[in-house]
Every structure is written in structure tokens, then in C-alpha cells.
Amino acid sequence: ITVIVVDSQTQQPIPGVCVIMGSDRCNGTTDAQGRWSGDIKLPAPRVPFDLLYVKTGYQNASKQTELIQGREVIERISLVRG
């Protein structure tokens, strides 16, 4: 999965957003272009998966994404300041 995180008002990429997958620890942060990619081992061919996005100065956001084995998923997430 690849995510692109942007500011909801400016639509500019947000670097340093912590991406949390199914745990309470940061699995990585977005780069200077607001991108983060990760390989997720799926327990079944088709799985709904929750990702949480955290960045100081922004409201936390979460989104459930359906992951399908063998298919690349690209998600765009907007964070609201606050």
C-alpha cells in the first residue's frame, strides 16, 4: 500500500506523518512528498485494514482500506489542522 498525506486546506504534502497499522506504534513516517509505502502480509486474499495517521498540529485521521492480495493500493488522505 502507498499513501499520500496532504493538508486539507492547501492540498500540500505533509512530511513526517506517523502511519500506524493495527498496533499502537508508528510503522513509519511520510517522506518530503507526503508519501509512505508499506508491504502488509495479508491473512486472507481480501482484508479490510485500518490505518491511523498522526501528526502534531493536525487532527488524527483513520481510514479503513480494503487490501487485495496482489493488487497495489494507493490512498490519498487529507489531514485537518487543529
Side-chain angles (χ1 to χ4, degrees), residues 11-66:
Q11 296 302 302
Q12 293 298 308
I14 307 172
V17 176
C18 178
V19 180
I20 300 172
M21 310 184 292
S23 69
D24 59 353
R25 68 179 182 88
C26 188
N27 294 95
T29 57
T30 56
D31 64 15
Q33 289 78 40
R35 296 176 69 93
W36 174 85
S37 294
D39 284 330
I40 300 171
K41 295 187 185 218
L42 302 178
R46 184 180 213 120
V47 177
F49 208 85
D50 290 315
L51 294 174
L52 176 65
Y53 304 93
V54 178
K55 171 78 174 175
T56 301
Y58 289 87
Q59 296 176 15
N60 293 351
S62 65
K63 183 172 184 184
Q64 187 176 77
T65 301
E66 184 173 68

Side-chain angles (χ1 to χ4, degrees), residues 2-18:
T2 298
V3 295
I4 302 167
V5 184
V6 298
D7 183 287
S8 66
Q9 291 180 335
T10 66
Q11 296 302 302
Q12 293 298 308
I14 307 172
V17 176
C18 178

